[in-house]
Amino acid sequence: MSAKCSYFIIICNLITSTILAQSVDTKCKWISTFNQPMVLDSLSVVSESIFVPVDSTIQVEYNYSDGTLTINTNAYDSLEICYKVLPFAFHRSYARRTLQEYDSSALFKIKPTTTSWADTREELFTTEQLYKSGSISRGISFGNNQDVFVNSNLNLQMEGKLTNDVNISAVITDQNIPFQPEGNTQQLQDFDNVLVKLYNDKFMLSAGDVILKHQGYQKGDSYFLQYYKNVQGGLLKTNYNLMNAEAESTLGVSVAKGKFASIQVEPLEGVQGPYKVEGPNNERFVIILAGSEKVFIDGVLLTRGYNYDYVIDYNLGEITFTNRVLITKYTRIRVDFEFSDQNYSKSIVTAAHQQQWNKTRVFVNAYSEKDNPNRPLAFQLTNADKQNLSMIGDDLDRAVISGIDSVGYSENQILYKMVDTLDALGMPQRILIFSTHPDSAQYQARFTQVGFGRGNYIQSSNTLNGRIYQWVGVDEDGTP
């Protein structure tokens, strides 16, 4: 006999002894079912109290587990059975919650074939057809000469059905320090891409970092108004029927990330690179937007990649050609690219429409890109500056304003103090000198590359916060 059965019999005997010690009325009942189990009472019967008044030799068996009674006899057609009952039934289940309900709500009961409550208890709105993945990180940075600060990174991807008729695809990234991917592969992963797209068979709505490109015959193959822009904004494309013809309309409104430029690079005989890509106005340092460049050798478009034609460093603006490309002094190298130019707020609006009747297709494209002169980003123009610039006429060399701004002391900025001195010719000059003292470091300055022998400042050193410039004045003969 197992230990559980022994404990059960002991408990039953204790309960029976306790009940028998009390005054319990005896019940009597006529039965006509023999040699098979039958239910004698809805409560549990005390097995020692069962007796047959007419014949005490009849064998009686009682089962506490199911509350059934078996009488083994064939001598009678009916008998009177007397017995005593307990105030409860052992064969019934007593619980505030059923086992099925408990299994469905238990945190450690996870059924592989159904979705448990533990998987969905934190969702306010159930999205069974929407798949989400991503990561979030927190970091603390500190040093011996800087304040403690916390940085945060968020990377979220979503894909699936938003409703029965609308699909969603989203890539959301939030990083404190944006960086560009390396340009040594054919395919680039844009780490700072933020894109939310809603679409179905009839329309597509994209918002975030989108790509605007020309539309024409056979889904974009057109010789007219070709463009390819990486921008931030929205793009709407819809398909419908118009005048018994298939029609497609596209509308894009965005803000440009950079400025387009096309330059010629001077080659060197047998040198594969790196070749420095300068700006259209001879800017020595430009940051090329990732994936926006098109490199041509003698009019042939090259393919980016370590195993293809060239690699590019977007932050330094340098292109290196692989051994698959032969560079001579007669090679014509042209680079079309977009570079980071945050001087003015630049808006781009595009619109396209296509319509087809049988074998006839008509398409029209519109493209508008312009700066907002009233919203400069890199500097702020005063009314006096606007008045002076409006009077320069066509002489662009006079289109300059002062780059000195009184901003007050800040520990994390390169600041200068303004002092009066005499140059080599004895002429009084008011100059800027780099300073870190809170009482004198009050000015922030912007310097422009004007060419050798034309300026009075040179770059003296580089720091984590930027470049530091030093005043050198003029020579004794008056040469800058």
Side-chain angles (χ1 to χ4, degrees), residues 400-413:
V400 294
I401 61 174
S402 175
I404 302 176
D405 187 13
S406 177
V407 296
Y409 178 74
S410 177
E411 183 180 357
N412 298 323
Q413 292 183 357

Side-chain angles (χ1 to χ4, degrees), residues 1-16:
M1 183 181 295
S2 63
K4 293 183 178 180
C5 293
S6 301
Y7 296 151
F8 180 74
I9 293 174
I10 293 174
I11 293 174
C12 290
N13 291 334
L14 292 175
I15 295 175
T16 304

Side-chain angles (χ1 to χ4, degrees), residues 402-438:
S402 175
I404 302 176
D405 187 13
S406 177
V407 296
Y409 178 74
S410 177
E411 183 180 357
N412 298 323
Q413 292 183 357
I414 295 179
L415 299 175
Y416 299 85
K417 65 178 179 180
M418 189 173 294
V419 297
D420 295 327
T421 186
L422 298 176
D423 59 14
L425 301 179
M427 300 297 295
Q429 300 288 340
R430 175 165 292 186
I431 64 173
L432 296 175
I433 298 178
F434 174 71
S435 175
T436 58
H437 198 279

Side-chain angles (χ1 to χ4, degrees), residues 221-233:
D221 296 333
S222 171
Y223 291 101
F224 305 101
L225 194 61
Q226 295 195 22
Y227 57 90
Y228 186 92
K229 301 286 289 187
N230 292 304
V231 296
Q232 293 178 343

Side-chain angles (χ1 to χ4, degrees), residues 218-363:
Q218 292 297 331
K219 297 183 179 179
D221 296 333
S222 171
Y223 291 101
F224 305 101
L225 194 61
Q226 295 195 22
Y227 57 90
Y228 186 92
K229 301 286 289 187
N230 292 304
V231 296
Q232 293 178 343
L235 177 65
L236 175 62
K237 181 182 294 185
T238 177
N239 301 320
Y240 54 94
N241 291 325
L242 181 62
M243 295 185 295
N244 298 324
E246 297 180 359
E248 178 182 298
S249 298
T250 304
L251 176 64
V253 179
S254 61
V255 177
K257 295 182 180 179
K259 185 177 181 180
F260 175 80
S262 180
I263 66 168
Q264 297 287 339
V265 178
E266 188 70 23
L268 298 177
E269 181 72 30
V271 177
Q272 302 299 115
Y275 288 97
K276 188 71 176 179
V277 179
E278 297 182 352
N281 297 321
N282 297 323
E283 296 95 335
R284 298 180 58 188
F285 301 98
V286 293
I287 299 178
I288 300 176
L289 297 183
S292 66
E293 85 288 348
K294 289 184 179 180
V295 182
F296 298 89
I297 293 291
D298 297 331
V300 178
L301 179 62
L302 303 186
T303 303
R304 179 188 62 247
Y306 182 79
N307 297 326
Y308 294 92
D309 299 326
Y310 71 94
V311 297
I312 180 172
D313 190 324
Y314 292 109
N315 294 314
L316 297 179
E318 295 179 347
I319 296 179
T320 303
F321 297 97
T322 64
N323 294 330
R324 298 181 54 178
V325 180
L326 179 62
I327 302 297
T328 67
K329 63 179 181 180
Y330 301 107
T331 301
R332 292 179 291 111
I333 304 175
R334 181 169 66 89
V335 182
D336 298 344
F337 63 95
E338 293 182 49
F339 65 99
S340 179
D341 182 20
Q342 299 296 327
N343 289 330
Y344 292 94
S345 175
K346 187 187 300 292
S347 62
I348 298 177
V349 178
T350 64
H353 178 76
Q354 302 182 50
Q355 197 160 346
Q356 182 173 359
W357 293 273
N358 297 327
K359 295 183 179 181
T360 303
R361 179 182 293 266
V362 178
F363 61 91

Side-chain angles (χ1 to χ4, degrees), residues 40-54:
L40 184 61
D41 199 284
S42 60
L43 300 176
S44 294
V45 179
V46 181
S47 59
E48 292 83 358
S49 66
I50 301 175
F51 66 98
V52 182
V54 298

Side-chain angles (χ1 to χ4, degrees), residues 1 33 54 59 61 105 116 119 147 156 198 202 240-241 254 291 300 354 403 405 409 430 447 450 457 478:
M1 183 181 295
T33 302
V54 298
Q59 296 181 358
E61 298 178 0
S105 60
S116 65
D119 295 334
D147 296 333
L156 176 63
L198 303 176
K202 295 297 183 181
Y240 54 94
N241 291 325
S254 61
V300 178
Q354 302 182 50
D405 187 13
Y409 178 74
R430 175 165 292 186
F447 294 87
V450 295
Y457 289 85

